[in-house]
Amino acid sequence: MGSEELRIGTAEREEAARLLSDHFGMGRITPDEYETRVTDAYAATTLGDLRPLFRDLPPPHPGFFGPPSTPMPMSPPPYAQPTTQLPTYGPGPYAPPTPYAQPMPVGYSPRSKTVAGVLQIVLPFGVGRFYTGQTGLGVAQLFATFCTGVGILWPIIDGILLLVNGGTDAEGRPLRP
């Protein structure tokens, strides 16, 4: 089976549509062409269905098309002298010192689960969720608190769960302990 017959998924279709939107924004395709190409991109089932949509466009192309073909590197002529690389040394004696910063573990949010939990309990109308960047959930809790009598329990229980289990911020990173 050739690469043109490989089936694609939703992620590939959406990447193609996003890149076509970029080309449209740069004025490379007309509104009618854009509409036709995006419709064809969402209807595509194989890699071969998507390739023609980018054939007349400069990069960027979807990453799943594979790397662009690169010519074979030419070897130097036999009479060329090899160049020597000068050694590199560290910073000079008058270079400014490098700042030392305590690195945060990779993947953690700069927000604290303790602060988010306490805000949820003390101000039980979604303030902790606004703090974590989850504004949709914060608005839902705010609405539930002021529009229903029982809705005040939701943010309080959510605050306790944040304190015990932690949670995530708007980008999906775990909250700092």
Side-chain angles (χ1 to χ4, degrees):
M1 176 163 71
S3 66
E4 298 297 308
E5 298 165 357
L6 288 175
R7 292 187 68 86
I8 58 169
T10 303
E12 288 85 6
R13 289 183 199 96
E14 288 177 353
E15 181 182 355
R18 182 184 54 79
L19 289 171
L20 286 170
S21 174
D22 292 345
H23 286 294
F24 173 66
M26 292 179 199
R28 293 185 180 128
I29 54 179
T30 65
D32 291 334
E33 286 177 309
Y34 171 71
E35 184 178 332
T36 302
R37 289 181 192 215
V38 168
T39 302
D40 291 347
Y42 280 116
T45 56
T46 64
L47 192 58
D49 294 338
L50 285 180
R51 253 187 231 284
L53 303 177
F54 292 90
R55 196 156 279 139
D56 61 338
L57 294 173
H61 292 153
F64 52 86
F65 279 178
S69 61
T70 55
M72 294 293 291
M74 293 179 51
S75 60
Y79 55 84
Q81 296 294 324
T83 58
T84 57
Q85 194 64 259
L86 293 176
T88 57
Y89 299 102
Y94 301 108
T98 57
Y100 177 75
Q102 183 69 21
M104 185 178 290
V106 177
Y108 275 94
S109 171
R111 309 281 186 198
S112 168
K113 75 175 187 176
T114 307
V115 173
V118 169
L119 283 172
Q120 279 291 93
I121 294 170
V122 174
L123 302 170
F125 43 87
V127 174
R129 289 304 179 172
F130 285 113
Y131 168 75
T132 62
Q134 297 169 328
T135 55
L137 190 55
V139 168
Q141 289 180 353
L142 180 69
F143 180 75
T145 301
F146 288 115
C147 293
T148 66
V150 184
I152 198 165
L153 291 177
W154 179 20
I156 293 173
I157 293 170
D158 190 31
I160 294 169
L161 289 175
L162 279 172
L163 287 172
V164 173
N165 299 331
T168 59
D169 65 1
E171 286 86 34
R173 300 174 297 185
L175 295 175
R176 189 171 36 92

